[in-house]
Amino acid sequence: MAAHTGSSAPSFTSRSDAPAFPPMLLSAEAAPFTPDGWRLGSQSDVDKQFSRCAAKLRALRADCSQLREELNLLLDQLLSENYNKTFDPTINIRPEEVCSLLKHVSCLVPLTQEHLVIKLCQLVHHLLNQLKVIMDERTLDVLLNYTTKALKVCSTWTHSDVLLALSTIVYGNGPQCHQHLRDLLGEDGVLLLYSSPSQPNVELRRVALTCMANICLRIPGQAPLDDQYRSVSFKVFLKTLQSPKPPNTDELFFCMVIQAALKGLQCCLSGGKWKFVGEELGSVLAALKRLMFQGTPGVSVEWPTVLYPTPLPQYEGLSAAKPDEPPKSSEPPKDEAVSGKTSGNKKRKSKGKGKKTSSEESRVDDEEEDNRETVPALQKGGGREGGRGEGDALSKPSGPSLYPSWKRASSDSEFSDPEGSAQSKLRLYNGRIRQGALHCLLAVVKGVEKRTLYGYWSSFIPDSPIGGPPPLTLITIILKDPSPKVRACALQVLSAILDGSRQFLAVAEDTASPRKSYTPFSFLLATAIRELHRALTLALLAETSPQTLTQVIKCLAYLVANAPYHRLRPGLLSPLWKQMRPYVRHRDVNVRVSVLTLYGALVTTQAPLPEVQLLLRQPESSSSSTGSFTPQDSGLSWRQRDGMSSPSTPVKSSLRSSQTNSPRVLHTPEEKDSAPPWLLQLCVSLVTQPREDQSDSEGAGTGGGAALEPSPVRLEALQVMSNLVRGYFSLAQACLCEIGQVSARCLGETDPSIQLHGAKLLEELGTGIIQQYRAENNVPESSRVPMSQVVLFWSEVLSGPLNGALQSEQHPTLQTSACDALSSILPQAFAQLPDKTQLMCITVLLGLTYSENYLVKTASVRALGVYILFPCLREDVMFVADTANTILAALDDRSPNVRAKAAWSLGNLTDTLIVNMESVGVDFQEELSDMLLLKMLQSATRASADKDRVKSNAVRALGNLLHFLRESQLTRSAFQRPLEDAVRALVKTVQSEATMKVRWNACYALGNAFRNPALPLDSAPWSGDAFSSLCHVVTSCKNFKVRIKSAAALAIPTNRSCYGDSERFDCVWRSLAKALENSEDTNDFFEYRYSASLRHTLSQALLHLLSVSQSQDMPSIGASLAGEEGKGIKEHLIKYLRAEESGGEGAEGEKEAGGDSVTPQQRIGGLQQTLIRLKELEAEGEGRGEEERSKEMVVQFLEDLLKTFEEP
């Protein structure tokens, strides 16, 4: 593994042998300055020095008389070199050479020579860290043995350097160190000893914690550390974070200890699944929350040691009465008094000083830059705090504000320059601690189950800005922390908390007036959502760092995507919509992309949302109100800065230019008064129009042409267009032709990502048109896209670059999306396309089913499954046969995705067979090949034994095929065995432990098969198993929807002979009666809501059995109706006849039963006909007397039923 410390702190040791740089004159023509002492002149300088020293070391032997002097000299020479490749990319030292050298030197340096041991350990750290060497197992073992022995043998004063070398060796190699882990992390392990809070040597404690953190670090793809040692390390890290600063300990050194513990805790939490035991989670969250505010001026809080899950706000808050009392934490007492002082006149330090060349040193420079940026901005009053502290940006809290302590001018400083420098470094280290705590919190949020985390929301997310002092939450950091990196980390944590919280936030509601007696949890959640909107909007206005601004907007996107705005009072999205508009033209490309992501979330969440519809309909001028102005003028209007006269001018002028330069929008006469949505016009301009500021080098275009927007911006704009078309098609349809042109243009480009998004946009357009024309959506014809325009649209699309995308074999994902787009053609429009265009579509799809890429094959098979339902194609026997053969071949594919879509398409094809059988008649059945039907029956039977997602549609196809087969086919010997196998496959699926969807489809399929009068249900050997499986399911299945479908299937046979002998008929009757009696027995509320539908279907099935019953069935029916069971049946039948349960779920019961909705009068009429038929029945055979008595009992039951129904 790459061996570098990552979490080690910078060394304060100064080197006496650092080269002195002679003064020299520089000119414009002079070569770049290179310090002579670092030998950067050529590639061979460092390499030759290393090779020369390595050769001399390899020549040394343990019995050499001058061994100590030679080792001392050569180690010094090796340590004096800078091997960092980022500093000098020409360094080319092979890892094998480093490993060989270190192994050899470790054999030469005895543990009794402690000064040499220290130099060797420094060399190990120096080489492995700077050259990023990946050690082989032998080198790892040798160096581990050497360092662990050194810790046992050498004096304590050497252990700091030994542990530093050990931390470099074990970096990411924890699982490979299992032989030494007991000595290091065992009960009396050296790392546990040195990392203990009772360890007086703070530097040893820090390095020991760093070493433990590097052991716990997990490299992607590597096995995690053993849980035993990870748990031990976790407890040490947590105990360190909870322990106070020892007396007489330097604050900076203790900050470094806390940083090491935070890094270790993060490695533990990120190193695989972690289960918190007892109060561990609450303890970790409490410690991290305290450290999130490390060094924050004006905070005097008695922090709890454990956070408990609760929906109410946590009990900690600002302690106004005791402002000078130190917190019960690791923060020193004077930390609060001094960390708020700013050193505005701090001098810039030289970045080239010494040999700080590790990645950590660059992080130090970054943090110092952050502090330099924030201090002048705060002093001027026009920076991020000036925007939110000057009056109405923030509501005035009743407690002390954190804001003024960071806004003190440099003239207020009470420190001299050295003191100011120390305070600046302390602020820097405290900022790192806050950043590390937030990184750990992010690891906790990602590693803990969402449901568990919901109880801690109130500790990190405020629910109201009113009443009492403001709580200390993530929002406090986002609005108040002076470091943009810390603010960005807090935003990342908040985004992770919000991500996937839709189910939790779904209960939020504040549309109704709240109760005065108590505050419902739903109202608390709604208040929290509103407070998040308020706080993030303030952060949006005040943020100056582009990187942090990007995180603010992304966090808003997560909030918008998960909040239930349809249950909240309107007005949250309108200000956000308007405030985001200027940022669309921000100078930073990442900000522009995040703004589009937010707009995409706005048009996706609970679409169509009335508030968003109004925003989309608003004309351009009203959307560009004064509320959209932000203070970052210099970074926003980078396209039109020269002509800016007001905050809204840049946006408006840009839109006018985009309207002018965009393709003309074709409007229908009814749409001429309605302008296209502004957001749609913006996205079109971002995708198609060149950037006006050519100084930005991020453009997509090259050469002499005008550069387009960067690819991420164009891709996100296309995604927003797709979301807008999907959710608000009625508003986007005015620009149908323009959007089609954009899609065609994207398909014609060379960038596969742009082409892919163009195809997806085309698919959304097609899907939107199809939704308009579906009868169940009840869209008036005047509001639909005219059919002529739809035909013209697809004619242009199919004659354009879509063909090239379909044939782009080098980009299978693009081919897949193109197939999906081809399947989104409106069937009525497809019928009006030219014959050659229709033929082209069919031919391409049939050809793509032979693609070697499973994605392309899956999409093309699915598209054929869509086309087979087109009215203009389904009666074409040749097309049906070609499609069937293609689907059958795909059913045998090795990819489960292909087989799943092939089964779905086969189900659609067999649906088409049933439709043709009913509309065309026998002619179509006779034209279809018997052998093809046989192959379909056999393939569907085999597929019914596949995975559930294949099986669910395979059984649907089996039911349709068994319904479709004619008597002449069923009597052929070739069909006998496949027929029996098909039915038994359905029976097996009904009785299996498959998913409920599969069993539901199997019950439906059996009922579908029962509709075929040619099936020998009375005599076939498989008939009894089919009925008994349905009887078993209707009484015992936990899922009520499966019971409903099985009851509906049992009521489908129209002749008494189909039910077989009296014993089988009695079994069906008693099963239905028992199911009706137990129709409310369930502990699952989600099933209970279907109980009315179940009773409705069961009542219908029982009356159907009575309508077909014969005299031999009367004894069993009479016995059932005579007892207590009969009373229950009577009550349910009365409700059915009165249609008391036919509303809502009852209506669904009609649908589940497979019949049309009938009125109570029709039900009574059917019952009266049954009563007349039963009275005319004449008993035959030996048991005539019993049958007559039972018949009279049944007749009396029905007469009483009718009489009860007629009573008021």
Side-chain angles (χ1 to χ4, degrees):
M1 293 300 138
H4 54 88
T5 55
S7 57
S8 61
S11 173
F12 293 103
T13 306
S14 62
R15 298 195 179 276
S16 59
D17 56 349
F21 303 137
M24 62 173 55
L25 294 175
L26 294 179
S27 67
E29 292 79 19
F33 170 71
T34 302
D36 293 336
W38 287 2
R39 298 182 181 88
L40 293 179
S42 65
Q43 177 182 358
S44 61
D45 286 344
V46 176
D47 292 358
K48 283 184 177 180
Q49 174 75 342
F50 177 84
S51 300
R52 184 180 63 81
C53 294
K56 287 186 177 182
L57 284 169
R58 280 192 291 268
L60 289 176
R61 293 294 176 262
D63 54 356
C64 179
S65 58
Q66 301 293 323
L67 178 63
R68 180 176 177 180
E69 291 75 10
E70 290 290 334
L71 281 173
N72 194 51
L73 177 63
L74 292 171
L75 290 176
D76 281 343
Q77 290 177 352
L78 286 171
L79 283 169
S80 67
E81 295 296 333
N82 188 343
Y83 302 99
N84 198 315
K85 292 185 179 180
T86 59
F87 190 76
D88 180 11
T90 62
I91 294 176
N92 187 23
I93 300 175
R94 294 184 301 156
E96 309 90 76
E97 297 176 357
V98 177
C99 292
S100 174
L101 174 67
L102 294 178
K103 283 188 293 185
H104 182 70
V105 177
S106 64
C107 297
L108 294 177
V109 178
L111 296 177
T112 55
Q113 300 291 332
E114 293 184 343
H115 283 87
L116 290 179
V117 171
I118 287 178
K119 289 191 177 183
L120 174 57
C121 289
Q122 289 175 350
L123 182 64
V124 169
H125 171 68
H126 196 54
L127 292 176
L128 296 182
N129 190 34
Q130 291 194 359
L131 291 172
K132 306 294 186 287
V133 174
I134 299 176
M135 293 178 289
D136 56 80
E137 293 184 8
R138 175 61 182 161
T139 305
L140 177 65
D141 190 54
V142 168
L143 295 181
L144 276 173
N145 278 322
Y146 188 86
T147 50
T148 51
K149 287 180 181 177
L151 289 172
K152 296 177 182 177
V153 175
C154 297
S155 303
T156 306
W157 68 273
T158 66
H159 287 187
S160 179
D161 288 285
V162 176
L163 285 173
L164 184 62
L166 181 61
S167 69
T168 312
I169 294 166
V170 299
Y171 183 88
N173 292 319
Q176 283 75 39
C177 306
H178 52 86
Q179 294 180 355
H180 304 274
L181 289 178
R182 180 172 296 179
D183 294 333
L184 298 173
L185 296 173
E187 188 173 348
D188 298 319
V190 63
L191 292 182
L192 294 185
L193 175 66
Y194 286 147
S195 62
S196 171
S198 60
Q199 171 58 237
N201 189 326
V202 180
E203 176 62 15
L204 267 180
R205 186 179 173 191
R206 179 191 69 80
V207 183
L209 289 168
T210 298
C211 194
M212 293 173 66
N214 289 350
I215 290 175
C216 295
L217 178 68
R218 182 185 181 187
I219 304 297
Q222 189 184 62
L225 184 67
D226 186 82
D227 287 344
Q228 172 190 350
Y229 298 112
R230 199 149 61 107
S231 178
V232 169
S233 302
F234 171 83
K235 291 176 182 177
V236 171
F237 296 138
L238 180 57
K239 191 175 181 181
T240 302
L241 297 178
Q242 292 174 330
S243 61
K245 181 178 77 69
N248 302 321
T249 301
D250 184 80
E251 294 178 11
L252 292 177
F253 276 103
F254 189 69
C255 284
M256 292 159 63
V257 170
I258 297 298
Q259 288 179 49
L262 285 170
K263 183 66 177 179
L265 187 63
Q266 183 183 354
C267 291
C268 277
L269 297 173
S270 305
K273 292 185 177 180
W274 184 265
K275 292 184 178 180
F276 290 97
V277 180
E279 295 183 349
E280 279 185 350
L281 177 58
S283 300
V284 169
L285 292 176
L288 294 179
K289 183 170 183 181
R290 173 174 55 82
L291 293 171
M292 281 161 43
F293 296 94
Q294 172 88 359
T296 302
V299 175
S300 180
V301 175
E302 294 186 4
W303 297 99
T305 56
V306 181
L307 293 180
Y308 295 99
T310 170
L312 301 176
Q314 194 64 25
Y315 48 82
E316 98 283 340
L318 288 173
S319 177
K322 296 183 283 184
D324 297 326
E325 182 177 331
K328 296 180 180 179
S329 69
S330 60
E331 301 171 8
K334 66 177 181 177
D335 181 52
E336 296 172 16
V338 297
S339 61
K341 312 293 182 181
T342 59
S343 54
N345 54 356
K346 180 177 63 176
K347 297 179 180 178
R348 288 184 180 267
K349 298 180 181 179
S350 172
K351 294 187 179 181
K353 184 177 180 181
K355 293 189 177 182
K356 292 184 179 180
T357 54
S358 67
S359 60
E360 186 175 51
E361 302 304 314
S362 65
R363 288 200 297 271
V364 175
D365 295 336
D366 290 343
E367 285 286 354
E368 290 176 350
E369 284 296 323
D370 290 343
N371 283 278
R372 294 190 194 105
E373 288 173 6
T374 54
V375 171
L378 297 178
Q379 292 168 355
K380 293 174 184 176
R384 64 179 260 104
E385 293 300 337
R388 53 165 82 86
E390 297 290 338
D392 38 73
L394 273 177
S395 60
K396 296 181 180 179
S398 57
S401 171
L402 301 180
Y403 158 68
S405 59
W406 282 321
K407 201 185 176 188
R408 297 181 63 169
S410 58
S411 59
D412 298 331
S413 177
E414 301 171 0
F415 300 102
S416 62
D417 286 343
E419 290 175 318
S421 177
Q423 294 305 314
S424 175
K425 184 166 287 188
L426 182 60
R427 280 199 303 275
L428 174 66
Y429 278 36
N430 283 332
R432 287 183 183 171
I433 288 177
R434 297 197 300 273
Q435 192 173 347
L438 288 166
H439 280 144
C440 283
L441 184 57
L442 182 61
V444 172
V445 171
K446 290 183 176 180
V448 175
E449 188 180 359
K450 289 286 185 183
R451 187 178 303 175
T452 304
L453 203 62
Y454 291 152
Y456 298 94
W457 267 50
S458 59
S459 297
F460 297 96
I461 297 176
D463 56 8
S464 176
I466 304 172
L472 298 178
T473 61
L474 288 169
I475 294 300
T476 312
I477 300 173
I478 293 169
L479 292 175
K480 300 292 185 179
D481 200 286
S483 170
K485 288 189 176 181
V486 176
R487 298 196 299 271
C489 286
L491 287 161
Q492 288 177 341
V493 174
L494 182 56
S495 298
I497 292 175
L498 292 172
D499 186 21
S501 62
R502 184 177 304 169
Q503 186 177 4
F504 175 64
L505 293 177
V507 301
E509 185 174 15
D510 66 353
T511 52
S513 56
R515 298 174 182 266
K516 294 183 179 180
S517 56
Y518 70 96
T519 303
F521 180 65
S522 59
F523 187 80
L524 279 178
L525 272 183
T527 308
I529 293 173
R530 292 188 174 277
E531 175 62 8
L532 284 173
H533 265 277
R534 185 192 73 88
L536 290 174
T537 302
L538 290 176
L540 183 72
L541 295 173
E543 191 56 66
T544 55
S545 167
Q547 292 78 14
T548 312
L549 180 61
T550 301
Q551 293 299 328
V552 174
I553 300 171
K554 285 183 178 179
C555 191
L556 278 166
Y558 278 111
L559 175 61
V560 168
N562 290 279
Y565 293 99
H566 61 292
R567 295 169 59 91
L568 304 176
R569 283 181 282 111
L572 280 177
L573 299 180
S574 300
L576 182 61
W577 182 280
K578 296 172 183 177
Q579 287 170 350
M580 292 312 303
R581 290 193 57 164
Y583 293 95
V584 173
R585 306 297 181 185
H586 197 279
R587 181 184 297 276
D588 189 274
V589 65
N590 294 315
V591 174
R592 304 204 296 274
V593 172
S594 61
V595 169
L596 290 171
T597 302
L598 177 53
Y599 274 123
L602 284 166
V603 297
T604 302
T605 182
Q606 296 109 43
L609 206 61
E611 186 176 358
V612 175
Q613 280 184 320
L614 290 174
L615 291 169
L616 287 170
R617 285 196 177 104
Q618 280 182 356
E620 179 185 334
S621 57
S622 63
S623 295
S624 302
S625 62
T626 56
S628 63
F629 177 69
T630 58
Q632 296 84 353
D633 295 332
S634 61
L636 290 177
S637 309
W638 58 278
R639 291 196 179 199
Q640 295 88 14
R641 281 196 303 272
D642 297 337
M644 188 172 82
S645 58
S646 68
S648 60
T649 301
V651 179
K652 294 169 72 175
S653 60
S654 172
L655 288 176
R656 291 195 191 99
S657 66
S658 69
Q659 281 182 296
T660 305
N661 299 327
S662 299
R664 292 183 61 85
V665 182
L666 300 181
H667 300 289
T668 60
E670 294 81 2
E671 297 163 348
K672 62 184 179 181
D673 296 329
S674 61
W678 162 82
L679 184 58
L680 191 57
Q681 289 184 321
L682 169 69
C683 292
V684 170
S685 69
L686 290 175
V687 173
T688 61
Q689 299 302 314
R691 290 185 299 113
E692 297 171 16
D693 187 351
Q694 297 300 321
S695 62
D696 195 341
S697 61
E698 297 171 324
T702 56
L708 295 171
E709 284 280 358
S711 182
V713 175
R714 302 181 70 211
L715 291 174
E716 202 63 40
L718 285 168
Q719 186 66 46
V720 174
M721 290 176 69
S722 296
N723 293 337
L724 184 58
V725 169
R726 184 190 308 123
Y728 300 89
F729 184 79
S730 60
L731 299 178
Q733 71 183 66
C735 314
L736 180 64
C737 292
E738 183 179 14
I739 300 174
Q741 291 171 10
V742 172
S743 177
R745 170 172 176 162
C746 293
L747 285 169
E749 294 193 17
T750 56
D751 185 348
S753 299
I754 298 291
Q755 291 177 304
L756 179 63
H757 279 72
K760 289 185 178 296
L761 177 58
L762 192 59
E763 180 190 357
E764 293 295 346
L765 282 171
T767 304
I769 296 172
I770 291 174
Q771 293 294 332
Q772 275 195 340
Y773 275 82
R774 282 188 174 166
E776 60 266 25
N777 291 333
N778 299 320
V779 178
E781 188 172 351
S782 59
S783 301
R784 300 176 184 170
V785 180
M787 183 62 66
S788 58
Q789 190 175 353
V790 178
V791 174
L792 177 63
F793 170 80
W794 281 111
S795 298
E796 294 178 352
V797 167
L798 294 173
S799 60
L802 183 62
N803 292 334
L806 287 166
Q807 299 171 22
S808 180
E809 296 182 4
Q810 66 273 26
H811 300 301
T813 309
L814 176 59
Q815 281 185 295
T816 301
S817 291
C819 285
D820 292 338
L822 208 58
S823 66
S824 65
I825 301 177
L826 182 68
Q828 298 93 310
F830 186 88
Q832 297 184 28
L833 291 174
D835 291 344
K836 63 177 183 179
T837 304
Q838 295 184 22
L839 185 61
M840 182 273 293
C841 294
I842 295 169
T843 305
V844 168
L845 290 177
L846 288 171
L848 288 176
T849 58
Y850 295 97
S851 171
E852 295 181 359
N853 186 279
Y854 81 95
L855 291 174
V856 178
K857 186 180 291 188
T858 301
S860 55
V861 168
R862 175 192 170 277
L864 286 173
V866 173
Y867 276 32
I868 198 66
L869 298 175
F870 285 7
C872 63
L873 294 177
R874 69 187 179 205
E875 296 179 8
D876 186 338
V877 177
M878 294 301 296
F879 173 70
V880 172
D882 290 342
T883 302
N885 284 314
T886 301
I887 292 172
L888 294 181
L891 266 179
D892 294 328
D893 195 87
R894 62 183 179 180
S895 168
N897 293 328
V898 175
R899 297 198 303 273
K901 286 303 178 187
W904 179 82
S905 296
L906 182 62
N908 286 2
L909 188 147
T910 53
D911 285 343
T912 293
L913 296 183
I914 301 300
V915 172
N916 288 340
M917 179 183 71
E918 296 172 352
S919 60
V920 181
V922 180
D923 293 343
F924 181 85
Q925 289 178 285
E926 292 177 348
E927 287 186 43
L928 204 61
S929 166
D930 288 356
M931 293 309 298
L932 179 59
L933 284 172
L934 184 60
K935 285 171 60 179
M936 292 167 65
L937 189 66
Q938 292 171 332
S939 294
T941 303
R942 289 194 301 271
S944 66
D946 207 329
K947 298 178 182 293
D948 279 0
R949 55 181 176 158
V950 179
K951 186 185 299 183
S952 62
N953 284 297
V955 295
R956 175 165 72 100
L958 279 177
N960 284 328
L961 288 169
L962 293 174
H963 183 189
F964 182 80
L965 292 174
R966 291 173 291 128
E967 185 175 2
S968 60
Q969 295 165 330
L970 293 173
T971 54
R972 289 179 55 183
S973 58
F975 278 84
Q976 294 300 313
R977 184 59 183 271
L979 173 64
E980 183 176 352
D981 291 343
V983 177
R984 294 199 181 281
L986 292 178
V987 170
K988 183 179 179 181
T989 306
V990 168
Q991 296 175 333
S992 69
E993 295 299 323
T995 59
M996 295 306 167
K997 178 183 177 181
V998 174
R999 299 180 71 184
W1000 186 95
N1001 275 358
C1003 292
Y1004 174 85
L1006 277 177
N1008 203 1
F1010 289 171
R1011 296 180 189 277
N1012 189 346
L1015 276 181
L1017 290 178
D1018 54 342
S1019 59
W1022 43 259
S1023 179
D1025 293 337
F1027 279 102
S1028 63
S1029 65
L1030 292 172
C1031 291
H1032 175 74
V1033 168
V1034 81
T1035 56
S1036 62
C1037 185
K1038 295 180 180 179
N1039 186 281
F1040 276 19
K1041 295 189 78 172
V1042 176
R1043 287 199 199 184
I1044 291 169
K1045 189 51 64 178
S1046 60
L1050 288 171
I1052 284 176
T1054 55
N1055 297 320
R1056 170 61 185 84
S1057 60
C1058 295
Y1059 288 97
D1061 56 18
S1062 299
E1063 184 178 353
R1064 186 189 301 172
F1065 186 91
D1066 178 51
C1067 176
V1068 174
W1069 174 271
R1070 291 194 176 277
S1071 297
L1072 293 172
K1074 181 180 178 182
L1076 187 60
E1077 181 183 358
N1078 301 329
S1079 59
E1080 295 183 0
D1081 295 348
T1082 180
N1083 296 324
D1084 190 347
F1085 171 76
F1086 292 101
E1087 296 302 328
Y1088 184 80
R1089 59 183 175 167
Y1090 296 110
S1091 59
S1093 296
L1094 177 60
R1095 289 192 294 271
H1096 178 96
T1097 309
L1098 290 168
S1099 301
Q1100 186 181 14
L1102 286 172
L1103 289 178
H1104 173 75
L1105 288 182
L1106 284 172
S1107 69
V1108 299
S1109 60
Q1110 297 295 328
S1111 59
Q1112 65 267 26
D1113 305 319
M1114 291 298 108
S1116 59
I1117 296 177
S1120 172
L1121 297 178
E1124 291 296 324
E1125 187 180 48
K1127 295 181 180 179
I1129 293 175
K1130 183 178 180 181
E1131 290 179 4
H1132 290 300
L1133 290 181
I1134 287 293
K1135 292 181 179 179
Y1136 170 75
L1137 292 173
R1138 290 177 174 173
E1140 292 181 6
E1141 293 181 337
S1142 61
E1145 301 293 352
E1148 184 180 343
E1150 293 279 6
K1151 181 180 176 182
E1152 296 289 351
D1156 297 328
S1157 179
V1158 293
T1159 64
Q1161 290 75 15
Q1162 291 173 321
R1163 295 172 188 174
I1164 290 297
L1167 181 60
Q1168 290 173 340
Q1169 292 179 0
T1170 299
L1171 183 59
I1172 294 172
R1173 191 187 67 82
L1174 289 178
K1175 287 179 179 180
E1176 295 174 352
L1177 283 179
E1178 294 184 3
E1180 298 178 359
E1182 298 179 357
R1184 288 190 343 189
E1186 182 182 358
E1187 290 178 5
E1188 283 292 337
R1189 288 191 298 272
S1190 299
K1191 186 187 77 170
E1192 293 298 328
M1193 190 180 302
V1194 173
V1195 169
Q1196 183 64 40
F1197 175 86
L1198 294 180
E1199 289 177 342
D1200 290 344
L1201 188 64
L1202 286 172
K1203 184 178 179 181
T1204 305
F1205 172 79
E1206 293 172 356
E1207 291 177 356

